[in-house]
Amino acid sequence: MHFDILTIFPEMFPGTLGGGVVGRALNNKIWSYDAINIRDFATDNYGSVDDAQFGGGAGMVMRADVLANALDSAIESSKCKVQSSNKKFGPIIYFSPRGKVWNQKMAREFVNNCTLNFANCTLICGRYEGIDQRVIEEYDIMEISIGDYVISGGELAAQVFIDSCVRLLDNVVHGGNESTANESFEIGGLEWPLYTRPSSWRGRNVPEVLMSGHHGQIDAWRKTQSDEITKQRRPDLIQGK
């Protein structure tokens, strides 16, 4: 799986993606990325990528012409990958509070679709107030949000997005599909409490059922715990079923 990342801060990558299981997968070439500096496509000698918004208001907007130059270059450089893999040029994603909120179901569907059909995925990391609307319309860009809050730019969102996708690829997470299938949101709610050694710690003991070796009872306990935690903390997940 390959990601073309458009950003004005290419030095932010791989960032957290360079560590842990995702970093190991990067070293093992299970996934790859190119960080493309949008400033390289500026039309002036100052590397300007933004300007004041029409209609007035606080904050700057990333220019359509500069961003389009960067996108066109990314698309052109990806043509050889498309031809060599017999796959199509992949989706273009812009991280925005206006986008559909990313979740585990979307991540799994996206990964399955991309690995089968697309040679790459292009990510736009916005800054300032956002990007010119005409670029979104011209390139049929998909807007995605990672949550109901605002951060300084799309780079962190891109890293969250990539991490959530890469860990679903084969040979990334130890235990494979069994491990990722038993996590929060994959099981229809939140995960049950987890315990390991020592069995007794500061007067707190591991629930006896987990020490019993009776898999049927363990599964039932985990299901009950998951349902109760989900009901208390994320009732919206139950209502959404």
Side-chain angles (χ1 to χ4, degrees), residues 191-201 203-211 218 221-222 225-226 229 233:
E191 196 171 9
W192 49 81
L194 305 173
Y195 300 89
T196 187
R197 295 180 180 136
S199 59
S200 181
W201 175 78
R204 298 175 184 271
N205 298 321
V206 173
E208 289 185 9
V209 65
L210 299 180
M211 313 283 285
I218 291 172
W221 180 87
R222 287 174 169 169
Q225 291 292 312
S226 173
I229 291 172
R233 303 182 186 181

Side-chain angles (χ1 to χ4, degrees), residues 114 160 203 208:
C114 276
V160 169
E208 289 185 9

Side-chain angles (χ1 to χ4, degrees), residues 80-240:
C80 60
K81 301 172 191 173
V82 173
Q83 292 169 356
S84 63
S85 66
N86 293 320
K87 293 182 178 182
K88 296 180 288 185
F89 181 79
I92 302 174
I93 293 171
Y94 166 52
F95 299 103
S96 163
R98 302 186 315 183
K100 187 173 182 179
V101 178
W102 187 244
N103 61 36
Q104 189 67 18
K105 182 174 183 282
M106 291 169 63
R108 191 168 286 280
E109 291 175 350
F110 184 85
V111 168
N112 290 341
N113 189 27
C114 276
T115 52
L116 287 174
N117 301 311
F118 302 119
N120 72 318
C121 173
T122 302
L123 309 179
I124 300 175
C125 302
R127 282 273 160 176
Y128 318 113
E129 288 299 302
I131 69 175
D132 192 299
Q133 178 67 26
R134 291 169 294 181
V135 177
I136 297 173
E137 297 168 359
E138 176 72 16
Y139 292 87
D140 192 24
I141 293 172
M142 179 191 310
E143 294 185 74
I144 285 178
S145 168
I146 61 166
D148 295 340
Y149 49 89
V150 178
I151 55 179
S152 300
E155 288 78 15
L156 285 176
Q159 291 187 32
V160 169
F161 177 86
I162 293 172
D163 187 291
S164 69
C165 290
V166 169
R167 63 190 309 279
L168 295 177
L169 298 174
D170 292 339
N171 303 314
V172 174
V173 174
H174 181 70
N177 290 335
E178 182 179 355
S179 292
T180 56
N182 287 322
E183 296 176 320
S184 292
F185 310 113
E186 292 282 4
I187 58 175
L190 301 180
E191 196 171 9
W192 49 81
L194 305 173
Y195 300 89
T196 187
R197 295 180 180 136
S199 59
S200 181
W201 175 78
R202 296 187 180 180
R204 298 175 184 271
N205 298 321
V206 173
E208 289 185 9
V209 65
L210 299 180
M211 313 283 285
S212 69
H214 193 295
H215 296 296
Q217 292 180 3
I218 291 172
D219 288 345
W221 180 87
R222 287 174 169 169
K223 175 69 167 57
T224 299
Q225 291 292 312
S226 173
D227 289 347
E228 187 61 29
I229 291 172
T230 303
K231 180 180 178 181
Q232 291 177 359
R233 303 182 186 181
R234 290 293 305 275
D236 57 298
L237 297 177
I238 299 174
Q239 295 166 4

